[in-house]
């Protein structure tokens, strides 16, 4: 019987330089998408997939991220006193039980592979684990990681979330070399990190959700720097492929937003706001008005 995926690593050590000056004092992961921080979307997705242990790989200046998950007794008492039960329930959804969350420091920015490797001592030698990149926010009826966990229960091995991208965008992603296409699941015979469009083996790109076996951590132990002079997680997964271990890509149902970019963050804000009953009408009317003004100006 395969072990369940109960641990997830969240690499959040990045400086968020594309969002300066906001990220000078606020970690990017705490920036709000409508009225919830980016990291809350990632946590909610992990919980829906059955994750019970949360490992954050952080860096200096991320204290606000740690404080976010802590209890807030004074605020809780104030909401109780004023009878604001809905807000109280929202507040409690941000809490983490004692011992459920761990923080590991990544002292140097040496890539995603290095960030995952930093958490190696918190992963047992025989258990699969998830990796979630909070920058990738996915709107889906069934959360993306939950879809993957269900598929992984059938396949085992390593699994990466994948989606088709335009050929000219392959240089921004890890790209899969597909051995067999089985629909939602594809068997992978190779992975290339940020290939030029003419060198890409497909247009099926890896995005920020992974279910990995501990062998990936052992591969990272002996890893050399790859693309961008960083330790690439893609290279560690490719090592497993070369060793004959199964690796799968999973085409998830949902829409992915790259909230590591300003344009993606704004697109996600609009999309998530329009999905809200309390915001849809006012925002939709405003957007229509802005489109009409833009057309008139032309």
């Amino acid at each position: 019987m395969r072990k369940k995926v109960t641990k997830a690593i969240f690499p959040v050590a990045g400086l968020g330089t594309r969002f300066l000056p906001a990220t000078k004092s606020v970690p990017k992961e705490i920036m709000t998408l409508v009225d919830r921080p980016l990291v809350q979307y990632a946590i909610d997705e992990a919980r829906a997939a059955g994750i019970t242990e949360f490992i954050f790989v952080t860096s200096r200046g991320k204290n606000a991220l740690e404080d976010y998950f802590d209890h807030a007794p004074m605020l809780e008492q104030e909401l109780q006193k004023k009878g604001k039960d809905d807000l109280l329930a929202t507040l409690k959804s941000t809490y983490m039980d004692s011992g459920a969350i761990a923080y590991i420091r990544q002292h140097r920015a040496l890539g995603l592979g290095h960030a995952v490797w930093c958490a190696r001592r918190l992963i047992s030698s025989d258990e699969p684990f998830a990796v979630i990149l909070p920058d990738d926010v996915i709107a889906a009826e069934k959360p993306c990681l939950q879809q993957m966990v269900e598929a992984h229960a059938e396949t085992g091995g390593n699994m990466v979330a994948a989606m088709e991208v335009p050929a000219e965008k392959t240089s921004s992603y890890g790209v899969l070399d597909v051995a067999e296409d089985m629909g939602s699941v594809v068997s992978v015979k190779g992975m290339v990190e940020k290939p030029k469009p003419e060198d890409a083996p497909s247009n099926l790109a890896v995005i920020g959700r992974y279910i990995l076996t501990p062998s990936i951590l052992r591969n990272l132990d002996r890893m050399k720097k790859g693309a961008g002079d960083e330790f690439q997680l893609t290279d560690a997964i490719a090592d497993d492929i070369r060793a004959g271990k199964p690796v799968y890509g999973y085409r998830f149902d949902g829409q992915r937003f790259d909230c590591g970019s300003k344009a993606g963050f704004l697109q996600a804000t609009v999309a998530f706001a329009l999905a809200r009953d309390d915001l849809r009408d006012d925002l939709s009317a405003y957007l229509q008005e802005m489109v009409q003004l833009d057309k008139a100006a032309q």
Side-chain angles (χ1 to χ4, degrees):
M1 183 176 177
R2 292 193 177 94
K3 284 203 168 188
K4 291 184 177 179
V5 183
T6 60
K7 293 181 180 179
I9 298 172
F10 300 79
V12 291
L15 297 176
T17 53
R18 283 187 282 183
F19 286 89
L20 283 170
T23 47
K24 179 183 177 183
S25 60
V26 179
K28 179 180 60 178
E29 298 78 22
I30 296 295
M31 292 177 61
T32 53
L33 188 56
V34 186
D35 55 6
R36 293 160 63 201
L38 282 178
V39 71
Q40 187 65 53
Y41 290 88
I43 288 292
D44 290 345
E45 182 178 333
R47 283 173 167 161
I51 300 299
T52 57
E53 296 183 54
F54 306 80
I55 303 165
F56 283 80
V57 181
T58 69
S59 60
R60 179 179 292 275
K62 299 285 184 172
N63 291 358
L65 179 65
E66 298 183 20
D67 290 343
Y68 175 76
F69 294 112
D70 208 347
H71 287 230
M74 292 181 63
L75 179 56
E76 190 173 327
Q77 291 170 12
E78 191 67 20
L79 293 174
Q80 284 177 332
K81 189 187 302 180
K82 294 182 178 180
K84 296 184 176 182
D85 295 337
D86 289 346
L87 287 177
L88 184 60
T90 299
L91 177 66
K92 289 183 176 181
S93 72
T94 69
Y95 292 168
M96 282 286 191
D97 293 335
S98 297
I101 191 165
Y103 300 97
I104 300 292
R105 280 287 180 99
Q106 183 186 22
H107 296 295
R108 291 185 294 162
L110 297 176
L112 177 57
H114 182 261
V116 171
W117 178 82
C118 287
R120 65 198 181 283
R121 292 187 177 90
L122 298 179
I123 304 295
S124 299
S125 61
D126 62 347
E127 64 177 341
F129 61 96
V131 176
I132 300 180
L133 308 188
D135 278 0
D136 280 333
V137 178
I138 300 172
E141 187 172 338
K142 177 184 287 188
C144 178
L145 189 62
Q146 183 181 350
Q147 296 176 44
M148 293 177 67
V149 164
E150 292 174 0
H152 184 265
E154 300 295 326
T155 65
N158 297 293
M159 180 173 285
V160 300
M163 68 177 194
E164 272 92 9
V165 299
E168 64 271 16
K169 296 282 184 73
T170 55
S171 59
S172 299
Y173 297 90
V175 176
L176 301 181
D177 191 356
V178 177
E180 183 181 2
D181 193 330
M182 299 167 280
S184 294
V185 176
V186 300
S187 176
V188 177
K189 62 181 180 181
M191 299 179 72
V192 183
E193 184 65 28
K194 298 180 172 62
K196 296 178 181 178
E198 61 269 23
D199 298 328
S202 74
N203 71 332
L204 200 56
V206 178
I207 64 104
R209 302 292 185 275
Y210 307 79
I211 298 175
L212 303 174
T213 60
S215 61
I216 298 300
L217 298 174
R218 293 191 288 274
N219 295 345
L220 287 167
D221 275 334
R222 56 180 183 271
M223 191 61 59
K224 296 179 180 179
K225 289 183 179 180
D229 200 32
E230 295 182 335
F231 295 96
Q232 298 291 345
L233 184 59
T234 304
D235 292 341
I237 299 171
D239 270 6
D240 258 20
I241 297 173
R242 284 189 287 271
K245 297 174 182 177
V247 174
Y248 301 94
Y250 183 80
R251 288 189 180 98
F252 59 91
D253 290 326
Q255 184 176 5
R256 174 253 189 177
F257 297 92
D258 177 11
C259 289
S261 72
K262 292 177 185 177
F265 194 95
L266 291 170
Q267 290 162 9
T269 299
V270 172
F272 278 82
L274 288 174
R276 290 263 297 261
D277 291 340
D278 59 331
L279 299 173
R280 182 186 303 114
D281 291 346
D282 286 347
L283 180 58
S284 180
Y286 174 74
L287 292 174
Q288 290 176 18
E289 179 183 338
M290 292 300 292
V291 170
Q292 291 169 359
L293 286 173
D294 186 55
K295 287 181 178 179
Q298 293 174 4

